[in-house]
Amino acid sequence: NKINDAEKIVYIAKTGKKYHLENCRTLRGEKEAIDLNEVIKNGYEACKVCKPDSIEDINIFYNYSDNKY
């Protein structure tokens, strides 16, 4: 269940089964950077505070001549 081929880094604590963004207020102590696909494969769930599963590559194209996006 790959998100995409690009590696997306999230963080896990030594204990618990949640993954986080690097600066999440609930992530305390030592943390380990790990690929998002790896944590999903290992059964981790997204933190409900920092919502690391909402990080997507979103491309917004602006049409400056019409001020539309």
Side-chain angles (χ1 to χ4, degrees):
N1 185 8
K2 286 205 171 222
I3 303 297
N4 63 29
D5 290 336
E7 186 177 89
K8 292 188 187 266
I9 300 299
V10 293
Y11 295 82
I12 58 173
K14 298 291 181 191
T15 60
K17 290 298 277 185
K18 302 272 188 204
Y19 60 93
H20 308 265
L21 295 176
E22 184 176 14
N23 295 322
C24 180
R25 64 182 165 90
T26 66
L27 185 59
R28 297 188 179 141
E30 289 186 47
K31 58 189 172 196
E32 176 184 348
I34 188 167
D35 178 61
L36 177 59
N37 293 312
E38 192 68 25
V39 296
I40 292 170
K41 184 174 79 174
N42 289 322
Y44 284 78
E45 295 179 10
C47 172
K48 290 183 170 100
V49 174
C50 65
K51 300 180 174 111
D53 56 346
S54 67
I55 48 177
E56 299 276 337
D57 292 330
I58 300 171
N59 293 314
I60 299 173
F61 298 97
Y62 290 93
N63 182 340
Y64 288 106
S65 62
D66 293 332
N67 288 331
K68 293 181 182 175
Y69 56 94

